[in-house]
Amino acid sequence: MKKIILTGLRPTGNLHLGHYFGAGQNYLKMQEDYDFYLEIADVQALTDNFDNPEKVRKNVYEITKDLLAIGLDPNKVHFFIQSKIPEIAELTVFYSNLVTVSRLQRNPTVKNEIAQKKELFGTNGESITYGFLGYPVSQAADITVFDGELIPVGDDQLPLLEQCREIVRKFNSIYGNILKEPQQVLSNTTRVKGLDGNEKMGKSLGNAIYLIDDEETIKKKIMMALTDTNKIKKDDPADPDKCMVYYYHKLVNTIENTNTVCSECKKGARGCVACKKELIEAMNNFLEPIRKRRKQYEENKDLVKEILDNGTQVAQNKAKDTMKKIKDAMKIDY
Ligand code: TRP
């Protein structure tokens, strides 16, 4: 029996290079060896987008197409929509008894997010909703209702996994040994930096290269990317480590070309415009197979829906199974 791997994504926008190198690449490897459940977490997305349901709905399909476009195989991965699994909501209610409000308030991920969402939750988080504060509980339900053992996540998610394990231990100590403690699988690449040199590439920062960007957009974005600000003239020597163009060459170009970029840049033997043009070409070469695959799914909307329906069916069966065991243990198997 293959081990169960589970992860989720909030459908709030298209995937960018940060998602690809931070997560997608790992998923591609893992789909070969594991029983892979991939949750499109629309209910979780609504916790901070409750006033914008259209956005969430649109992005359920957008993000699914992005994931298929990078090469995830619907025969190997169960793509499913969170809201179609009512057991998750049900289990969230049961788990809510096993966690204190103050523990949730101390969760570093939740704290960070509240601080970033001042408009929604107030300057000091005084308008925080019950739903948002409780989303780690719901995420613990996401994971355990599928017996998720291995959870690929970025390091920002570690406090949520810790919280999930605490709930599991509490549940097992009261109701019997039913649930598995999930383990994280951290991705090997850490964050991908933004076009502006920011440590993080992100939608809200406006510094992202998206997998759906077309050639014209790629050209515009790379032409504006941050380079070593000390380099004034074309033949000034510069420091490639202070340059986002070199940084992306390392991600998408061959090692050979990247080495040439580095040594020529240090010697002052390469102008930034030429260097950017080379990167535009390499980036488009990298994105081309992704664009091609996406187009196939774009042209066949029924197929995307069918993939989600099939994955959701598998997820529903699994969730029903686990839920039966949980209700037995909790003596609510009327
Ligand atoms: N909280 C995750 C994020 O924002 C998304 C997510 C939802 C998730 N359910 C999950 C991640 C279950 C891992 C496991 O990226």
Side-chain angles (χ1 to χ4, degrees):
M1 274 254 286
K2 285 182 178 175
K3 277 197 176 176
I4 294 179
I5 194 154
L6 177 135
T7 196
L9 291 122
R10 290 185 196 183
T12 54
N14 284 102
L15 300 186
H16 51 60
L17 289 186
H19 296 115
Y20 182 85
F21 290 102
Q25 248 184 352
N26 267 7
Y27 299 170
L28 288 173
K29 278 189 238 136
M30 289 181 296
Q31 69 174 347
E32 305 302 332
D33 302 319
Y34 297 100
D35 191 14
F36 197 157
Y37 287 79
L38 213 170
E39 176 178 285
I40 312 297
D42 61 337
V43 177
Q44 189 176 117
L46 282 168
T47 59
D48 56 344
N49 290 281
F50 53 84
D51 52 352
N52 203 349
E54 287 302 330
K55 170 178 153 192
V56 175
R57 186 185 176 93
K58 168 172 170 265
N59 281 305
V60 165
Y61 297 104
E62 284 301 301
I63 214 164
T64 306
K65 281 184 279 182
D66 282 346
L67 289 163
L68 290 164
I70 67 172
L72 287 178
D73 180 348
N75 294 313
K76 295 178 180 154
V77 179
H78 317 297
F79 289 89
F80 69 97
I81 305 180
Q82 186 185 9
S83 59
K84 300 278 281 186
I85 316 290
E87 284 80 3
I88 296 173
E90 201 178 0
L91 191 53
T92 304
V93 175
F94 300 158
Y95 285 173
S96 63
N97 296 324
L98 308 180
V99 57
T100 63
V101 173
S102 70
R103 175 65 181 86
L104 287 168
Q105 283 165 332
R106 272 185 279 118
N107 185 309
T109 308
V110 176
K111 262 167 104 174
N112 265 339
E113 285 174 304
I114 295 172
Q116 283 163 18
K117 296 175 206 298
K118 291 193 163 59
E119 237 175 80
L120 200 56
F121 297 141
T123 16
N124 300 309
E126 62 279 3
S127 311
I128 181 80
T129 59
Y130 172 62
F132 190 83
L133 183 65
Y135 95 74
V137 185
S138 156
Q139 187 158 318
D142 282 352
I143 293 171
T144 51
V145 87
F146 303 106
D147 278 333
E149 287 182 74
L150 299 173
I151 317 297
V153 284
D155 52 5
D156 62 313
Q157 295 288 306
L158 295 183
L160 295 180
L161 281 182
E162 189 50 36
Q163 180 111 53
C164 175
R165 284 190 289 265
E166 281 175 31
I167 292 173
V168 166
R169 286 196 286 267
K170 184 105 186 179
F171 182 100
N172 286 346
S173 74
I174 300 172
Y175 303 114
N177 230 336
I178 304 288
L179 305 174
K180 286 201 185 105
E181 276 189 44
Q183 298 305 321
Q184 58 261 17
V185 187
L186 282 175
S187 52
N188 41 14
T189 323
T190 37
R191 300 226 148 86
V192 174
K193 293 186 192 180
L195 283 157
D196 55 357
N198 194 304
E199 279 307 312
K200 194 177 171 199
M201 180 175 275
K203 184 179 36 169
S204 50
L205 299 162
N207 63 4
I209 293 179
Y210 290 94
L211 302 179
I212 48 160
D213 282 348
D214 59 16
E215 294 196 5
E216 206 38 50
T217 312
I218 292 296
K219 187 173 163 193
K220 260 192 232 142
K221 286 186 176 175
I222 290 179
M223 278 306 187
M224 282 170 15
L226 178 82
T227 54
D228 181 353
T229 47
N230 287 322
K231 176 163 169 146
I232 312 286
K233 294 195 301 303
K234 181 169 141 215
D235 46 7
D236 284 345
D239 179 357
D241 289 327
K242 290 188 181 145
C243 173
M244 294 318 295
V245 178
Y246 173 62
Y247 180 87
Y248 295 127
H249 269 296
K250 284 191 288 186
L251 285 181
V252 299
N253 212 335
T254 61
I255 297 177
E256 230 184 354
N257 289 347
T258 306
N259 288 342
T260 310
V261 172
C262 183
S263 63
E264 288 184 0
C265 174
K266 282 182 179 161
K267 280 188 292 194
R270 121 181 327 253
C272 291
V273 173
C275 191
K276 284 175 170 175
K277 284 193 174 142
E278 277 175 44
L279 177 62
I280 290 166
E281 198 184 320
M283 189 66 78
N284 280 323
N285 287 340
F286 165 77
L287 290 175
E288 202 43 42
I290 299 178
R291 289 181 189 136
K292 264 211 190 106
R293 257 185 250 115
R294 196 175 206 285
K295 195 156 169 264
Q296 286 171 2
Y297 289 107
E298 206 73 79
E299 284 164 359
N300 193 348
K301 295 230 159 51
D302 290 347
L303 181 57
V304 177
K305 199 173 171 311
E306 198 182 303
I307 288 167
L308 283 166
D309 284 347
N310 290 342
T312 300
Q313 185 68 52
V314 176
Q316 277 167 346
N317 291 340
K318 180 79 191 164
K320 280 202 185 96
D321 254 21
T322 320
M323 209 52 194
K324 188 172 175 330
K325 287 183 210 149
I326 288 175
K327 285 191 171 172
D328 282 353
M330 292 181 71
K331 313 236 177 288
I332 48 175
D333 52 330
Y334 301 107

